[in-house]
C-alpha cells in the first residue's frame, strides 16, 4: 500500500516552453503533497507544500509564478514549470501524506527527470 | 534553521562487512529522525525512524539510535548485502505541527560481492 506515482518519469523540453508533472497517490487520499527538487549529489530541497483545495505554500527562494502547483483533488497534484530554462533542469520528486496526527508519514514518488535544452 | 549533516560518500564495502553512516542534526527541541533509502530508479522509501531520545529504529537489519546528547542518528548494519546498494538519506521533522522534512545530502553505498 501507500504507492505514489509520478508522470512522466523523464521529459526533455525546449527552453521557453512549459512542462507539467503529475503526482498521484494510488491507494490513499493525500491531504498534503510536497514537491522537492534534487540536484546531483545534493539533498532533496523542499519547494512547496500543498493541501487539497488550497493554495500551495512555497519555501523561501522558490518562484511561485515559475513553479505552479495545483492540488485539485485528494489523489492528484501537479507541478508546472513555466517558461523553462536550462537551469530548471533537475530531478523533481513529490511525496504525499494521508495527514492527521497519527498519519504524518510521507510517501515518495519515483521522481521526474526534467532536461531543458 | 534546522539542518542535517551526514557523512560524504560514496561508501564501498564488501559483502558481509559492517556499515556505519554517520548523521548529526541541528534542531530545537525534540525532532523526529528518519533514514530513507533510494534504490536505483525508485523513489525514497522510509527505512526506519525514531521519535524521541534513546529510541532505536530498526528494519531489515539496519539500526539507528536517537542520541540527544550528541545530536546524532547514525545508521548501522552488521552485515551488508549486495542488495543494500542504494543511496541513504538522513532526515528530520521538526517538533510541532509542521510536516516538513529536512534531508541530508545522501550517502551512496555500493556493496560488492
Amino acid at each position: 500500500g501507500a504507492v505514489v506515482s509520478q508522470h512522466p518519469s523523464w521529459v526533455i523540453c525546449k527552453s521557453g516552453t512549459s512542462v507539467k508533472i503529475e503526482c498521484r497517490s494510488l491507494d490513499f487520499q493525500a491531504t498534503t503533497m510536497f514537491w522537492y527538487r534534487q540536484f546531483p549529489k545534493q539533498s532533496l530541497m523542499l519547494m512547496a507544500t500543498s493541501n487539497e483545495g488550497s493554495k500551495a505554500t512555497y519555501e523561501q527562494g522558490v518562484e511561485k509564478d515559475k513553479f505552479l502547483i495545483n492540488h485539485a483533488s485528494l489523489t492528484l497534484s501537479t507541478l508546472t514549470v513555466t517558461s523553462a530554462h536550462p537551469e530548471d533542469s533537475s530531478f523533481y520528486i513529490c511525496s504525499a501524506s494521508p495527514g492527521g496526527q497519527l498519519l504524518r508519514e510521507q510517501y515518495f514518488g519515483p521522481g521526474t527527470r526534467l532536461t531543458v535544452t | 534553521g534546522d539542518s542535517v549533516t551526514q557523512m560524504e560518500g560514496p561508501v564501498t564495502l564488501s559483502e558481509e562487512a559492517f556499515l556505519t553512516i554517520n548523521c548529526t542534526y541541528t534542531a530545537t527541541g525534540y525532532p523526529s529522525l528518519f533514514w530513507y533509502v533510494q534504490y536505483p530508479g525508485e523513489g525514497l522509501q522510509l527505512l526506519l525512524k525514531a521519535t524521541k531520545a534513546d529510541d532505536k529504529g530498526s528494519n531489515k537489519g539496519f539500526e539507528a539510535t536517537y542520541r540527544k546528547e550528541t545530536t546524532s542518528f547514525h545508521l548501522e548494519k552488521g552485515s551488508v548485502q549486495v542488495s543494500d546498494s542504494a543511496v541513504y538519506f538522513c532526515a528530520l521533522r521538526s517538533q510541532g505541527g509542521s510536516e516538513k522534512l529536512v534531508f541530508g545530502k545522501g550517502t551512496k553505498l555500493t556493496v560488492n560481492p
Side-chain angles (χ1 to χ4, degrees), chain B residues 1-4 25-28 31 92-95 100 102:
Chain B
D2 296 347
S3 65
V4 174
Y25 68 89
T26 301
T28 55
L92 69 81
R93 185 176 64 217
S94 300
Q95 185 179 16
K100 190 165 77 170
V102 176

Side-chain angles (χ1 to χ4, degrees), chain A residues 5 13 21-22 28 47 52 61 67 75 98-99 101 104 109-110 115:
Chain A
S5 70
C13 71
I21 302 169
E22 293 185 348
F28 66 98
M47 298 174 67
E52 185 265 339
F67 298 100
T75 59
Q101 285 299 310
R104 298 175 67 191
T115 302

Side-chain angles (χ1 to χ4, degrees), chain B residues 13-20 60-63 76-84 88 109 111:
Chain B
L13 297 173
S14 297
E15 207 165 22
E16 299 184 2
F18 183 85
L19 168 71
T20 300
K60 299 180 181 180
F62 291 89
E63 293 183 341
E76 297 182 337
K77 186 174 185 181
S79 176
V80 293
Q81 305 299 313
V82 173
S83 58
D84 294 326
Y88 292 82
L109 169 66
V111 180

Side-chain angles (χ1 to χ4, degrees), chain A residues 32 34 36 38 41-44 46 59 91 93 97 99-100 104-106 108-110, chain B residues 34 36 38 41-44 46 49 89 93-94 96-101 103-105:
Chain A
T32 307
F34 304 84
Y36 295 85
Q38 185 181 25
K41 300 183 180 180
Q42 296 292 321
S43 177
L44 279 74
L46 180 65
E59 295 298 301
F91 195 56
I93 300 173
S97 173
R104 298 175 67 191
E105 187 62 60
Q106 287 187 35
F108 287 81
Chain B
F34 305 83
Y36 283 86
Q38 186 178 30
E42 299 183 15
L44 274 73
L46 179 63
K49 66 180 180 182
F89 292 90
R93 185 176 64 217
S94 300
S98 173
E99 303 284 342
K100 190 165 77 170
L101 288 171
F103 287 89
K105 290 187 176 182

Side-chain angles (χ1 to χ4, degrees), chain B residues 9-63:
Chain B
V11 174
T12 302
L13 297 173
S14 297
E15 207 165 22
E16 299 184 2
F18 183 85
L19 168 71
T20 300
I21 301 177
N22 290 336
C23 172
T24 57
Y25 68 89
T26 301
T28 55
Y30 291 84
S32 295
L33 302 175
F34 305 83
W35 277 100
Y36 283 86
V37 58
Q38 186 178 30
Y39 298 104
E42 299 183 15
L44 274 73
Q45 301 173 25
L46 179 63
L47 181 60
L48 53 84
K49 66 180 180 182
T51 58
K52 60 183 187 294
D54 300 324
D55 266 2
K56 177 186 283 188
S58 61
N59 185 25
K60 299 180 181 180
F62 291 89
E63 293 183 341

